[in-house]
Amino acid sequence: MGRFLHAFFSPLGLRRAVPQVWDGFQTNIKLMVVAEVLVLALALLIAIVRGLPGRSTFPLRALAIAYTDFFRGTPLILVAYVTALGLPSLQLSFVSNQSLFVYGVLSLTLVYTAYVTEVYRAGIESVHPSQRMAARSLGLNYAQTLRYVILPQAIRRVVPPLLNDFIGLQKDTAIITVVGVTEALAQAGFYSNDFFSYAGYMVAAIFFVLLTIPFARFTDNLIKQRERRERAQLA
Amino acid sequence: MTENGHFVTLAGVSKRFGNNEVLHTIDLSVDLHQVVCLIGASGSGKSTLLRCLNLLEPVDAGTIVIDGQTITNGPVDVNVLRRKIGIVFQAFNLFPHMTVLQNITLAPRKARGLTKAQADAEARELLDRIGLVDKANEFPDRLSGGQQQRVAIVRALAMEPKLMLLDEITSALDPQLVSEVLNLVRELAQTGMTMILATHEMSFAQEVADKVCFLDAGVICEEGPPQQIFTAPKEPRTREFLSRIIEAGRL
């Protein structure tokens, strides 16, 4: 027990590790924020493309389906290797000379956009067809109906599952360490090598938890609020 | 208006869903300022007929001419067409995420190109007419069914339609809320609005209609002035339908 506590939780080790791991964790936060913004926008776009009507849009829809199928099924760690190590090896001017941070954002965005597209799509499909009919019968066109009637209702409904996916993304920023981005996990590793102490990993764990807990509580509250509102409607 | 003077003309209109023929060679004409009531059992094709009129459902055969424009073939801008045809549904279909005022002003702003101030002013005037101006900033779920349906009617009127289609608009309402909605429809009729309504309210149809059409299994079985249809129906199927209605105490 004493050895365990010493290896993971020695007060000196923890205290010493904080600045170094915090230095790396700021990179996790940056990865997360940039990727989340991109995911929110791209996923919405792809979800809209998947729902387009008419035969002429079939190639676009097929492309969107192929994309979501592929990246939902591919492990993030694999995508990270391929983008961060594979793209530079192509020696193409723009594609190959980005920073590791950019490749990290790219991998996270590619994978999580696929998930979030499905979340949006579920939301869009949950809006009753009579809403679309009512909007179209007022003379609004397809895009206006989507913009003012369907999407506002759809997005409101999927906020809790969206936040859930973002908690996943937040944690998965640590995977980007494998391609050499010095984020919290990498710094924790350096620390443990230097001081023969696992306290760095514990500090990293604490940082991740501290970041996800408020997120999780916020999500819970949103769900509860929604339930209360719907129950009020029934009463 | 078409050369024969009718505002709406249907000729040989058919509509099928799969193998089920919902409308079978319907011929119908409606004049400007006329109120036409469609009666008949559920599933007789009343709602489908109304939906075909603003192209929410495409027809499989026949032609529909509205206001001199053939809408069933050739290039038709459905969005432009629908701006002159208002439709109100049984289930209100208000937008739950918008206030009453936003519900009413959305289409005038986006489809008629009014400014927010113009649209708001018009909407408030309409709401004032139905005594709901104090509900302008409420969300639809805070309103009673009757109030919601009146807002839905006003939302359609805000597009200044030349034709109103009312699809069993009182069927989802508690009995005590029906009259407030029917009063509004009655006022509309008095102002000369051209209307086609599918309804189960036979006394109302008798009072307000210029022409009543009895639909049975996708066919207009009988049509005529209300006094004739309700007091001296010629077709046995009309008689049978009406006697069932009378038994149920609805006439």
Side-chain angles (χ1 to χ4, degrees), chain B residues 128-149:
Chain B
D128 196 34
R129 241 170 69 190
I130 60 169
L132 289 179
V133 77
D134 56 319
K135 304 284 186 191
N137 295 315
E138 296 276 13
F139 284 92
D141 63 337
R142 310 281 298 173
L143 272 58
S144 75
Q147 291 171 333
Q148 287 189 51
Q149 192 59 298

Side-chain angles (χ1 to χ4, degrees), chain B residues 227-245:
Chain B
Q227 312 85 288
Q228 182 250 306
I229 296 285
F230 288 112
T231 56
K234 291 181 193 130
E235 295 291 327
R237 275 182 294 171
T238 318
R239 254 176 265 148
E240 192 196 334
F241 173 75
L242 289 173
S243 66
R244 268 187 283 132
I245 294 286

